[in-house]
Amino acid sequence: MQEAITIEVRTPRLREPEPRVVVTLPTFRRPEHLRRTLQSLAVQATDRPFAVVVMENEAEAREGLAAARSLIEAATPRGLVLVAHARGNCSAYNAGWATALAEFPAMEHLLVIDDDEVAPPDWIARLVAAAEATGADLVGGPQLPDFETPSGARYRRHPVFTPHYDTTGPVPILYSSGNVLIRRRVLEAMGPPFLDTAFNFVGGGDSDFYTRCRAKGFRFAWCAEAPVYETVPARRTEFSWINARSLRNGSLSAMIEARSNPGPTARLRRLAKSAALLAASAPRGIALGWRTGSPVAGLYHLQVALGRFLGEFGKINEQYRRPEQN
């Protein structure tokens, strides 16, 4: 099903020169930070022509559209702003990726950054270089936390804030869409809708997409030298948020596994895996808490195991349904 899209702003002579790289940037009720993200893209040091597609997902107030308008019209950076009328992060991604394919026929690489992130000047260059060096179809990079409150730094080594990999090179799979490069051929092969909108308000649409990409034989890599810096508000350093995110990670893990391997036999295997993770959570948690110096981090493996059981019964926290609490 094609997402409802309206292109509202476009840089004059947008395809002169023809963009080879397109950065997609979903936004929802973060107009001030969106401007910071766009300003970091405007100063990218790359010899590859690129454009930005901003996906406004607040179809009523459209604060993101208003914040981006003057920058895009002035080509700082050049690109376009669309309104993705269907609410939800997967719907926003689908709108932006489909638009990038249709608007930029010379596009070779599609990149993704979120509206609470800032990219260093060599971000595009490093992701593209990693794709070319490894031959990978999808390349991820770290999302490093930038805590708004000094007290938040105590969670820097908590698993919900740490990258999945440490070293540049091929990896089995990726997990997040907040800092990623995707080759055009991947999008063309997967076809719209790219992300399943069943994940619109729970997250995990990116992980599900990567799982399906792996099943089609696409290859993954990691570029440790291409971080983005994610602003972490005080709300996300409260125990209630970290607990909800940790449980959700477990629930999504079970949900994605169930979609890949349905049936009663596969479910018994998942339940056995969840039980094994629960049994191992105490020693693993003690080790993690000792290594990070954080008792809260030490709870993570237990929370993930419990979340997997919740996911088996369809109980997944829709953290994105209530953005004021996310």
Side-chain angles (χ1 to χ4, degrees), residues 201-221:
F201 300 106
V202 298
D206 41 13
S207 292
D208 174 69
F209 175 72
Y210 297 143
T211 299
R212 290 184 282 113
C213 286
R214 183 171 61 179
K216 282 186 175 287
F218 290 115
R219 295 179 298 155
F220 302 85

Side-chain angles (χ1 to χ4, degrees), residues 243-258:
N243 180 61
R245 176 56 61 97
S246 302
L247 290 169
R248 191 208 66 161
N249 287 352
S251 299
L252 288 173
S253 173
M255 180 179 175
I256 292 169
E257 287 179 23

Side-chain angles (χ1 to χ4, degrees), residues 88-129:
N89 64 347
C90 294
S91 293
Y93 281 124
N94 288 339
W97 296 2
T99 299
L101 285 172
E103 290 281 330
F104 304 104
M107 179 186 73
E108 299 167 352
H109 302 102
L110 179 141
L111 279 61
V112 184
I113 188 170
D114 284 338
D115 66 347
D116 57 355
E117 297 171 343
V118 171
D122 59 354
W123 176 64
I124 291 177
R126 288 190 177 275
L127 277 181
V128 173

Side-chain angles (χ1 to χ4, degrees), residues 33 101 123 163 241 284 301 306 318:
H33 204 293
L101 285 172
W123 176 64
W241 186 92
R284 293 178 74 198
H301 294 300
L306 293 174
E318 292 188 328

Side-chain angles (χ1 to χ4, degrees), residues 239-309:
F239 178 77
S240 60
W241 186 92
I242 293 174
N243 180 61
R245 176 56 61 97
S246 302
L247 290 169
R248 191 208 66 161
N249 287 352
S251 299
L252 288 173
S253 173
M255 180 179 175
I256 292 169
E257 287 179 23
R259 293 163 70 88
S260 300
N261 297 286
T265 302
R267 189 179 193 207
L268 287 175
R269 286 198 296 267
R270 290 194 307 276
L271 288 171
K273 177 180 177 180
S274 298
L277 289 173
L278 183 61
S281 64
R284 293 178 74 198
I286 292 170
L288 180 61
W290 179 268
R291 188 168 66 251
T292 61
S294 169
V296 174
L299 294 173
Y300 182 71
H301 294 300
L302 172 63
Q303 292 161 325
V304 168
L306 293 174
R308 286 181 60 91
F309 283 110

Side-chain angles (χ1 to χ4, degrees), residues 32 75 95 123 133 171 179 185 294 311 324:
E32 294 181 6
W123 176 64
V171 294
N179 179 9
R185 62 180 178 238
S294 169
E324 69 281 355

